[in-house]
Amino acid sequence: GKNDAFPDTNWDTAQFNRLRLDAVAFADRNGEVEYGAWYDRDSNSVGTLPAEVTALLAPGGLFYNLAPTNLYPARLLMVDGQAYMVTGRPVLSEDGQGDPAGVALFARIFDAAEIDVLRVETALHLDFFPLDQVPEDFQALADQIVPDKKVYMQAWDQNRLAGYVLLEGVYGQTAGVLRAEMERSIYD
C-alpha cells in the first residue's frame, strides 16, 4: 500500500545532496505522479516538478508504464536552458515479480560540476555542448552524421584527436554532444 510518510522520511535536501539527484518522481501505472520533487541546489530547497518532467510519466511519455527489462532509457532533458540526465525504472515488488505498480524517475543536472566528476572518473578531458552550442570542430563532421550512429572520431592533428558522443533527448532527437579530447599516443 501507499506510505504517505515516505516523502518526508526519504526525500529531504540531504538525501538529494547525498545521491547527487535533482529530481525524483514516483508515478502509478496510470501515469499519475504520486510523489515528485525538484531540488534547487542554489537555494537548497525542494519544490514541485516542472511540467517537462511530469509529461515524461504521463500516457505517451518516455517513462510511462516501463516494462521490466535489462535496458532502461537514460536521456537528456532541457529545462529552462539547463541539461538534465533522466532515467526511470519500473516499481516492482520485493521479489521483482508481477506487474509494475508504476515508475520511479530520477534526474541529475548535467552541468560543469557533473562533467568534472566524469573527467576524474574517465581521466579524459570532456566537454558537454547542448545541440544549439556545438563547437566548430563538431560542426565539421555534419556531413558524416547518419541515423543510429552515436559515436564519431576526428583527428585534430598528428598528436590529438577528439571523440564525440551524440546524447539522445527524451523525444528521440539528438539533444547534446559530449566531446572527449585525447592524445594520439600511437605516434610517440
Side-chain angles (χ1 to χ4, degrees):
K2 185 177 174 185
N3 177 358
D4 291 327
F6 176 81
D8 296 330
T9 58
N10 290 280
W11 291 102
D12 58 9
T13 57
Q15 184 74 333
F16 279 97
N17 281 312
R18 194 171 20 262
L19 297 175
R20 293 181 26 235
L21 289 174
D22 297 284
V24 62
F26 297 95
D28 65 20
R29 66 182 70 191
N30 298 315
E32 293 292 323
V33 176
E34 297 289 332
Y35 171 74
W38 187 258
Y39 178 59
D40 182 327
R41 293 181 187 198
D42 294 332
S43 65
N44 193 36
S45 63
V46 177
T48 59
L49 292 172
E52 295 93 334
V53 176
T54 56
L56 298 174
L57 296 162
L62 178 65
F63 298 103
Y64 176 69
N65 274 343
L66 281 181
T69 66
N70 291 330
L71 298 173
Y72 298 105
R75 304 281 175 81
L76 204 60
L77 173 68
M78 299 299 288
V79 176
D80 295 330
Q82 178 60 59
Y84 293 84
M85 272 300 195
V86 295
T87 191
R89 300 287 187 275
V91 176
L92 302 170
S93 63
E94 287 182 33
D95 64 4
Q97 303 300 310
D99 291 332
V103 174
L105 176 140
F106 305 96
R108 179 182 292 165
I109 199 167
F110 203 58
D111 62 0
E114 194 62 33
I115 298 299
D116 285 341
V117 169
L118 291 174
R119 283 184 187 122
V120 170
E121 290 177 356
T122 63
L124 293 171
H125 179 85
L126 299 172
D127 291 297
F128 166 72
F129 304 94
L131 193 59
D132 62 350
Q133 298 174 22
V134 294
E136 288 182 22
D137 54 282
F138 179 77
Q139 292 175 17
L141 295 173
D143 60 336
Q144 298 175 33
I145 296 174
V146 296
D148 299 325
K149 184 175 178 185
K150 301 290 182 200
V151 178
Y152 296 86
M153 300 293 288
Q154 174 176 261
W156 282 353
D157 56 37
Q158 187 171 345
N159 299 314
R160 298 179 313 138
L161 65 98
Y164 307 87
V165 177
L166 304 183
L167 301 175
E168 192 170 358
V170 295
Y171 299 107
Q173 81 294 8
T174 299
V177 176
L178 187 63
R179 178 179 68 191
E181 298 174 33
M182 55 208 95
E183 298 295 319
R184 294 179 74 187
S185 58
I186 193 167
Y187 292 111
D188 287 348

